[in-house]
Amino acid sequence: RGRAAMDRSTGPRAKNNSGEEAMNTKHVGRVARVAIAAALFAAPVQAQLPNANELLTRFRTAMGGEAAIKKHTSMHIQAEFEIPAQGMKGNVEIWSAVPDKFLSVVELPGVGTIKQGFDGTTAWALNPMVGAQLVTGKELAQMKEQADMHSILHPEKFVKARETVEKTTFDGKEAFKVKVTPIEGDEYHEFYEAATSLLIGTVRKLESPMGTMEATNVVSEYQDIDGQKIAMKMKQSMMGMDQIITIKKAEFVPVDPTVFEVPKEIKALVK
């Protein structure tokens, strides 16, 4: 009887158990091989995407380096403004000064003078179509960054996270797409040209008196101005319409501080 029990234990049922174990072992082996292969093939793809902070460092270097950027503390720009679809052309002047002062004046025939400014405390806009306005909220956050000539030297002041999401094509050029999460405002994307490391555009939501709109900005035609590269052409596409700014003259020169004084129409709105 004991022998019979032993015979039963080594009979067909035991063989079936052995077969199941073998099949399970093979299945586990196949899963492991697939996982390893996936990891091996995925690794080179991930390696092609540089860290977003490294891309920013490369851009800073391509612009001329930290020392070249830091030595420039004020700037004056003269440019042409155009909306081709409307046959509209005008002139633009922009003044900037550290740490965070900014004024832009756009002269459009048939429309008038449009001004935007920030004196480090108050952001404002004067438009003949809507009058005098204080700039607040997300639009204020965007203007603060725009007013900072050295924002690229301390990105942590405005941005809490950056992530390289893919290598893609932007404006016909191979570029790395970076998702930017600002401290204030909505996420947006920057595009750095793979060949030159220069920033060639952004896609972001812009705040305006007319509401929030997504704008694609293309910057190009970089030129060396006193050791620092400046994009001389900017095209903004929004709501199916292009706005083009072409810089005719850019120079790092002293700017009279009174340029940034808040206009009396705006002072009347400040509480």
Side-chain angles (χ1 to χ4, degrees), residues 46-75:
Q46 294 300 320
Q48 292 175 9
L49 295 178
N51 180 276
N53 290 326
E54 173 61 24
L55 287 172
L56 194 65
T57 299
R58 293 180 191 176
F59 173 44
R60 189 161 52 228
T61 301
M63 284 180 67
E66 183 174 345
I69 297 169
K70 192 177 288 185
K71 79 174 184 178
H72 298 134
T73 57
S74 56
M75 188 178 193

Side-chain angles (χ1 to χ4, degrees), residues 9-174:
S9 68
T10 57
R13 184 175 179 181
K15 290 181 181 179
N16 286 341
N17 288 341
S18 297
E20 290 174 4
E21 289 177 3
M23 289 177 65
N24 288 337
T25 301
K26 289 180 181 179
H27 176 69
V28 171
R30 282 197 300 271
V31 170
R33 286 195 299 273
V34 170
I36 292 171
L40 289 174
F41 284 110
V45 174
Q46 294 300 320
Q48 292 175 9
L49 295 178
N51 180 276
N53 290 326
E54 173 61 24
L55 287 172
L56 194 65
T57 299
R58 293 180 191 176
F59 173 44
R60 189 161 52 228
T61 301
M63 284 180 67
E66 183 174 345
I69 297 169
K70 192 177 288 185
K71 79 174 184 178
H72 298 134
T73 57
S74 56
M75 188 178 193
H76 178 226
I77 288 174
Q78 294 173 288
E80 291 181 351
F81 177 84
E82 182 181 6
I83 304 178
Q86 296 183 351
M88 187 180 293
K89 291 186 178 182
N91 296 312
V92 183
E93 276 196 271
I94 300 172
W95 294 265
S96 303
V98 295
D100 49 13
K101 291 179 171 58
F102 166 84
L103 174 69
S104 73
V105 178
V106 180
E107 299 282 356
L108 288 177
V111 176
T113 303
I114 301 170
K115 295 183 179 182
Q116 280 192 319
F118 184 60
D119 68 347
T121 303
T122 303
W124 53 272
L126 278 175
N127 188 316
M129 300 181 72
V130 295
Q133 293 181 317
L134 291 173
V135 176
T136 59
K138 294 178 182 179
E139 190 179 0
L140 172 59
Q142 291 169 0
M143 191 176 285
K144 283 181 178 178
E145 185 172 3
Q146 181 183 10
D148 190 340
M149 287 181 62
H150 293 166
S151 61
I152 192 172
L153 299 181
H154 42 245
E156 68 283 351
K157 184 177 176 181
F158 304 102
V159 173
K160 67 182 170 184
R162 291 177 185 272
E163 179 190 359
T164 309
V165 293
E166 65 174 334
K167 188 175 184 181
T168 185
T169 300
F170 183 85
D171 192 36
K173 303 167 186 171
E174 285 194 343

Side-chain angles (χ1 to χ4, degrees), residues 119 121-124 134 262-271:
D119 68 347
T121 303
T122 303
W124 53 272
L134 291 173
V262 176
K264 64 180 185 299
E265 300 95 326
I266 301 298
K267 288 180 179 179
L269 300 177
V270 178
K271 297 179 181 179

